[in-house]
Amino acid sequence: MGIVNVTPDSFSDGGAHASPGLAVDFAQRLVEDGAQILDIGGESTRPGAEPVSVAQELDRVMPVLEHLKDLAVPISIDTYKPEVMRAALAAGASIVNDVKALGEPGAMEAVAGSDAAVCLMHMQGEPRTMQDNPRYADVVRDVKEFLASRLAAAEAAGMSRERLLLDPGFGFGKTFAHNLELLRHLDAFSELGVPLLVGISRKGMLGKITGRDLGERVHGSVAAALLAVIRGASIVRVHDVRATRDALEVYNAVSG
Ligand code: 8Y4
């Protein structure tokens, strides 16, 4: 899954694009590089980020979706807002990537009435403050229990398991130690019985491990994506599609 951010914070994130035209060009590049899904987002959910309005988010993502609907790969809309979900699905998106796991009022209904797939992600707190003092009794058990309960809620709302993906949410209200523990025990989440999506690309934990700034985390990101797949991830959300594809091709050739 290649990341396409339609947000103005382009200095801090190599996947960010201030205008729809640039985002569309970039998205087409990612497909040429081997992306099998594109994740389009119009609100930054990085630590400390402020929310944007529904209108602003629609202004950013809808022109991009209109241009990408005839592309050969499924389009994922990265949003927690039900209004954006509905508009994006009507414009051809087929996956909702929700960092709030359909927790906003109206989000469950917005997706249940479609035939889209949904990624239910774990987050502790909200982006503005989530890294202030994240705490868990047992991070793997706590995150797994949350995901199991959201999975049950989505099924109760009429969504079949075949439509659902789960994600422990690396960096979303987690310390470095929490993130390492989650990656070390990623296999525990496979027991929930649906495919796992994992996003570690360029995140702070890689900066902590390698000492490198955002733009220089490609090798660490590829290592993390490969580790996640070896530990059971079905989809990896990445900025560096070409490098990640190469690593996964090597893995696939060896593992058959
Ligand atoms: C550098 C680059 C530093 C990016 C931080 C970041 C996930 C996600 C995000 C994830 C799913 C991000 C929308 C945060 N992360 N969706 N979204 N899983 N499903 N930060 O891990 O990339 S945005």
Side-chain angles (χ1 to χ4, degrees):
M1 171 186 271
I3 301 169
V4 182
N5 286 320
V6 197
T7 54
D9 51 342
S10 51
F11 295 111
S12 52
D13 188 337
H17 305 282
S19 78
L22 288 179
V24 170
D25 292 348
F26 187 78
Q28 283 162 346
R29 240 293 294 287
L30 292 185
V31 173
E32 284 165 26
D33 285 352
Q36 293 170 323
I37 303 173
L38 293 178
D39 189 39
I40 317 296
E43 173 178 329
S44 174
T45 45
R46 298 188 51 212
E50 298 283 348
V52 301
S53 69
V54 170
Q56 179 144 51
E57 194 173 327
L58 287 171
D59 276 353
R60 290 179 182 176
V61 298
M62 294 309 290
V64 178
L65 291 174
E66 290 299 334
H67 278 91
L68 295 183
K69 63 169 178 272
D70 297 325
L71 232 58
V73 301
I75 304 296
S76 160
I77 178 73
D78 157 18
T79 191
Y80 58 83
K81 297 185 184 79
E83 300 90 341
V84 178
M85 292 174 187
R86 287 183 193 274
L89 294 175
S94 55
I95 304 171
V96 171
N97 176 27
D98 186 356
V99 300
K100 295 193 180 181
L102 302 179
E104 283 286 293
M108 191 68 79
E109 295 78 2
V111 183
S114 73
D115 58 5
V118 193
C119 179
L120 304 167
M121 197 197 80
H122 175 272
M123 167 165 59
Q124 184 180 95
E126 53 177 273
R128 204 173 47 82
T129 53
M130 65 191 175
Q131 292 306 107
D132 287 355
N133 188 20
R135 286 178 173 278
Y136 298 87
D138 174 335
V139 67
V140 175
R141 196 195 59 200
D142 294 2
V143 171
K144 192 173 167 184
E145 279 177 11
F146 171 85
L147 293 177
S149 81
R150 297 313 293 159
L151 187 61
E155 286 191 279
M159 282 179 260
S160 64
R161 290 173 90 78
E162 295 79 69
R163 289 171 56 186
L164 302 172
L165 302 159
L166 295 175
D167 184 336
F170 285 90
F172 285 84
K174 281 116 187 159
T175 64
F176 177 63
H178 293 143
N179 288 321
L180 270 189
E181 183 83 353
L182 286 171
L183 186 51
R184 212 173 262 134
H185 297 288
L186 194 67
D187 58 324
F189 296 95
S190 299
E191 293 161 13
L192 294 168
V194 300
L196 302 179
L197 192 160
V198 164
I200 306 180
S201 186
R202 299 189 187 172
K203 283 184 179 174
M205 68 182 288
L206 301 175
K208 184 112 176 168
I209 294 168
T210 62
R212 305 226 185 262
D213 285 339
L214 269 178
E216 301 181 329
R217 295 180 187 164
V218 49
H219 307 94
S221 296
V222 170
L226 182 57
L227 270 167
V229 169
I230 290 170
R231 282 161 158 67
S234 295
I235 302 175
V236 283
R237 180 181 180 275
V238 305
H239 299 88
D240 304 290
V241 168
R242 203 133 64 138
T244 309
R245 277 287 310 233
D246 281 2
L248 293 176
E249 300 285 5
V250 173
Y251 173 63
N252 289 339
V254 174
S255 75

